[in-house]
Amino acid sequence: MALHQLSLSLQFGHLTDASTHRAALPRHKVVRCIRHALEADAEITVRIVDAEEGQALNRDYRGKDYATNVLTFDYASEPMVMADLVLCAPVVAAEAKQLRKPLADHYAHLLVHGTLHAQGWDHETGDEDAEAMEAREIEILAGLGLKNPYR
């Protein structure tokens, strides 16, 4: 399987523990995770935010007044994927701790998850779609040498 081209902008918002999140997200690993999930060439911005920014974006764009782990803003899927992935650092860190997973592994899962959303995959449209998306995530993560995140 040939990997697709990726133009990546990796941004870190105002984080109190930015060094922890920067260490878990070296640029080459972010590129690797996203490229393995791509089905076309892409221009993607990944922004790591604090809880306040994450909550504001989720509230303003989804009508849900809480910070969530990843938000995907998809602008185009053909001929090139164009999207913003916003990951909320404190939510991701809390989930990784609760799941007893390394922070970098949880970020990898969410980068793959968000990249699939940017290409039209959706787990909120029914059980069959959720199962298909989960299976695709597991397959991509295995290709990255990571365990099934749903176990």
Side-chain angles (χ1 to χ4, degrees), residues 38-147:
L38 285 174
E39 297 166 10
D41 293 344
E43 292 180 5
I44 295 179
T45 296
V46 173
R47 181 164 172 81
I48 312 304
V49 301
D50 63 10
E52 184 179 354
E53 186 175 347
Q55 181 175 352
L57 289 167
N58 202 26
R59 180 188 61 238
D60 295 350
Y61 291 95
R62 294 182 65 228
K64 298 182 178 188
D65 196 16
Y66 57 88
T68 190
N69 54 15
V70 60
L71 293 168
T72 301
F73 298 93
D74 54 327
Y75 308 113
S77 58
E78 293 180 23
M80 177 178 284
V81 175
M82 299 178 74
D84 294 336
L85 306 181
V86 179
L87 292 97
C88 185
V91 173
V92 175
E95 288 177 349
K97 184 177 180 179
Q98 178 185 13
L99 295 167
R100 295 187 175 124
K101 291 173 52 173
L103 181 61
D105 290 1
H106 195 44
Y107 268 124
H109 176 209
L110 295 173
L111 288 166
V112 167
H113 184 87
T115 301
L116 290 178
H117 273 308
Q119 298 171 103
W121 292 77
D122 194 343
H123 55 85
E124 295 181 355
T125 51
D127 290 343
E128 190 173 311
D129 290 340
E131 290 171 14
M133 186 170 177
E134 184 176 303
R136 183 68 182 127
E137 289 174 17
I138 292 166
E139 177 184 27
I140 292 165
L141 292 168
L144 292 166
L146 297 172
K147 295 177 184 175

Side-chain angles (χ1 to χ4, degrees), residues 23-35:
L25 289 163
R27 183 179 181 80
H28 70 279
K29 287 189 178 181
V30 173
V31 167
R32 186 169 181 258
C33 290
I34 293 172
R35 284 183 71 204

